[in-house]
Amino acid sequence: AMTLAGGYVLHLDATHEGDAPALMTSMDSLSQIVLANVKISSEHSEHMVPFLQELQRTYGNPVACVHDMGGGICKAVAEVFPGTPDFVCHFHFLRDIGKDFIEPAYSVLRRRLRTHAISSRLHALVRETRQALSDQNYDVSRLAKAIKASENLENNEFLPTVATYALSLWCLQGKHSGDGYGFPFDRALLEFADRLLELNRLLSTEPGIFSSDGQRNNHPLFQLAREVSKVAKDLVLLKAVEELRFRCEIFDRLRKAMRIAPPGGDNGLNDDGTPEAITKIRQGVEKFRSSLETDSRLSADKLSHKMAKQIDKYGDKLFADPIEVDTPNGMVKIYPQRTNNILEQFFRGIRRGQRRKTGNDSMCRTLQTMLADTPLVKNLENPEYMEILLNGKTDLEELFAEIGSMPSANNSGTQPDANRMLPG
């Protein structure tokens, strides 16, 4: 099957958790067949090389390799498959480069927000105002209809309470914003801070809230205004927000150039990038790389220098031109995937299955006790794999019937150790 397809494109990735060994899996993206697995203590090259050598003995050299930016994987692939086109996942590349570029300012913002405990205070306001409205049996839906229809309100007594409840929730929802890519593509804390600052700007233009009568008649709204004003007066936080806006704008330019994980995208972690010609993507990245030197502010920025070095380091591993290979049916072009999503999705599926079976989100104990080749079972869901495996048979039962019975322990000449107990 590999010969007819022109070879195989080797995708490599590992999943690990806690002190459990890492489960390293290899997959052919052309057939989406799991090729081999191994449990290793770490992703260092000395553990990876024997695994790759076994793959080489079994399947030969791949047409290309795709993996993340781990130093151990890169070194092991270069040692075992020298000369083979080797590419890093665009999503991993962008994520790592974005973390280095955005995280310093983001961590400052995170610490300042924790210092003000603003999330806890807003949650407290939400609980208090919801309870107050519930105690008075206030019909919030009626108020909502009146606002939507631009009608005059019959009773304004509870309007400050309702406004406090709604505005507090609006701010807190900022912490759950994003497109499902995760940090640094999604910056939920920055959205949260932006909403707090916008709310402070709006409330500060209403002088009646801070007057003596306003504090008495609009007490919930006054409490909200007081809490957000503390955040708005934090100069360290304001500086971090300003820097983040600048860095996010630069990073988003690189995302646009690489045509992957776009702002507002709806594919989340499954985004494989748009199908533009790799030449256009390369040109866009080169143009962005040049701007890091020509822009005066970026040329003087240390983190921009680091970003430029990362682009230079992995530039040759980013752009996979079509690879022409000879097959029994003639020459074919193979297009290596831009991401390692095929394995990322595979591991997420294993985790979902673990949660369904055990109700436990942790994979630590499972990774410790499972057989290394357990992921091969997923191949049974692959029609192409089943066709190869059955080789004309109707089902697995018919296939196993031909194998014959395994030799018994008595015939093997060895006696089982009655005192040995298997783990679990």
Side-chain angles (χ1 to χ4, degrees):
M2 285 180 175
T3 301
L4 292 174
Y8 71 104
V9 176
L10 178 62
H11 284 245
L12 295 165
D13 201 2
T15 182
H16 42 79
E17 188 169 319
D19 57 356
L23 174 65
M24 174 65 65
T25 294
S26 60
M27 182 180 285
D28 170 24
S29 63
L30 299 183
S31 63
Q32 299 196 8
I33 290 177
V34 179
L35 302 178
N37 310 271
V38 68
K39 289 164 71 171
I40 52 180
S41 58
S42 71
E43 292 186 45
H44 292 160
S45 60
E46 60 264 27
H47 302 301
M48 288 288 304
V49 166
F51 176 60
L52 297 184
Q53 289 173 337
E54 181 63 27
L55 277 169
Q56 188 180 49
R57 284 190 292 269
T58 307
Y59 302 107
N61 290 330
V63 174
C65 299
V66 181
H67 48 80
D68 61 25
M69 299 162 62
I73 292 182
C74 291
K75 185 177 179 181
V77 168
E79 179 178 339
V80 180
F81 303 120
T84 298
D86 186 25
F87 305 106
V88 296
C89 170
H90 282 196
F91 188 87
H92 282 88
F93 172 78
L94 267 179
R95 185 182 65 186
D96 290 358
I97 211 171
K99 283 182 178 179
D100 292 341
F101 192 65
I102 296 175
E103 175 60 32
Y106 202 73
S107 62
V108 173
L109 175 61
R110 186 187 298 111
R111 288 195 299 269
R112 297 314 301 166
L113 289 173
R114 286 176 178 172
T115 298
H116 293 287
I118 186 64
S119 294
S120 300
R121 296 179 186 277
L122 289 181
H123 278 297
L125 275 175
V126 168
R127 290 193 298 270
E128 292 171 8
T129 51
R130 183 171 56 214
Q131 186 62 46
L133 294 171
S134 176
D135 292 343
Q136 297 296 326
N137 295 319
Y138 188 74
D139 188 359
V140 179
S141 61
R142 185 176 179 183
L143 172 64
K145 292 178 182 177
I147 292 175
K148 288 181 179 180
S150 300
E151 298 174 354
N152 292 326
L153 303 178
E154 298 177 359
N155 184 359
N156 294 337
E157 179 183 356
F158 293 101
L159 192 55
T161 304
V162 174
T164 302
Y165 175 73
L167 291 171
S168 298
L169 280 180
W170 173 71
C171 286
L172 289 169
Q173 280 299 314
K175 297 183 68 176
H176 304 285
S177 62
D179 301 315
Y181 302 125
F183 183 79
F185 306 97
D186 300 330
R187 285 84 61 160
L189 290 184
L190 178 59
E191 176 64 22
F192 179 46
D194 281 338
R195 294 191 182 197
L196 292 171
L197 297 176
E198 174 66 9
L199 181 57
N200 176 73
R201 186 185 67 79
L202 292 171
L203 294 180
S204 62
T205 61
E206 298 294 333
I209 295 177
F210 296 94
S211 64
S212 299
D213 291 339
Q215 293 183 31
R216 182 172 60 255
N217 300 327
N218 304 312
H219 183 65
L221 208 53
F222 169 72
Q223 282 184 295
L224 177 60
R226 184 177 58 184
E227 295 298 344
V228 296
S229 67
K230 294 177 184 177
V231 174
K233 294 175 182 177
D234 188 330
L235 297 181
V236 177
L237 182 144
L238 294 177
K239 184 178 179 181
V241 167
E242 182 181 359
E243 182 180 353
L244 276 172
R245 288 171 180 163
F246 160 72
R247 296 200 178 279
C248 290
E249 189 272 331
I250 300 301
F251 175 62
D252 288 345
R253 280 167 46 192
L254 180 58
R255 292 168 66 180
K256 184 178 180 180
M258 295 192 69
R259 308 290 204 279
I260 195 170
D266 55 5
N267 290 327
L269 293 175
N270 295 322
D271 184 52
D272 289 319
T274 53
E276 279 89 355
I278 203 70
T279 303
K280 292 184 178 180
I281 297 175
R282 181 189 287 112
Q283 291 172 350
V285 173
E286 289 174 350
K287 183 178 179 181
F288 173 83
R289 169 63 180 87
S290 177
S291 70
L292 296 178
E293 294 180 349
T294 57
D295 186 300
S296 58
R297 182 173 181 181
L298 295 177
S299 63
D301 179 52
K302 291 182 179 180
L303 293 178
S304 296
H305 289 172
K306 186 175 182 180
M307 176 183 282
K309 289 181 179 179
Q310 288 286 83
I311 295 175
D312 293 341
K313 179 179 179 181
Y314 293 102
D316 293 337
K317 295 180 179 291
L318 287 175
F319 309 112
D321 291 322
I323 301 172
E324 286 196 356
V325 295
D326 193 8
T327 73
N329 296 324
M331 299 295 294
V332 299
K333 285 186 177 181
I334 292 178
Y335 297 83
Q337 295 185 12
R338 293 176 56 198
T339 70
N340 208 23
N341 280 347
I342 186 173
L343 273 178
E344 295 283 344
Q345 295 165 8
F346 177 76
F347 286 133
R348 286 198 291 272
I350 291 179
R351 288 183 176 275
R352 283 195 298 271
Q354 160 76 7
R355 285 196 297 269
R356 284 197 298 267
K357 287 189 294 185
T358 67
N360 188 359
D361 192 43
S362 174
M363 285 284 294
C364 187
R365 182 171 176 81
T366 300
L367 290 174
Q368 289 173 333
T369 58
M370 72 185 295
L371 295 172
D373 268 330
T374 299
L376 289 176
V377 175
K378 294 294 290 184
N379 284 335
L380 300 179
E381 300 173 2
N382 187 324
E384 182 178 355
Y385 176 85
M386 289 302 296
E387 183 179 352
I388 297 169
L389 180 68
L390 294 176
N391 193 24
K393 304 297 185 297
T394 305
D395 51 27
L396 288 174
E397 183 178 6
E398 184 180 346
L399 179 66
F400 289 157
E402 280 199 355
I403 296 176
S405 59
M406 298 294 292
S408 66
N410 291 333
N411 294 333
S412 65
T414 59
Q415 295 296 326
D417 183 1
N419 295 320
R420 180 172 178 266
M421 295 183 67
L422 296 175

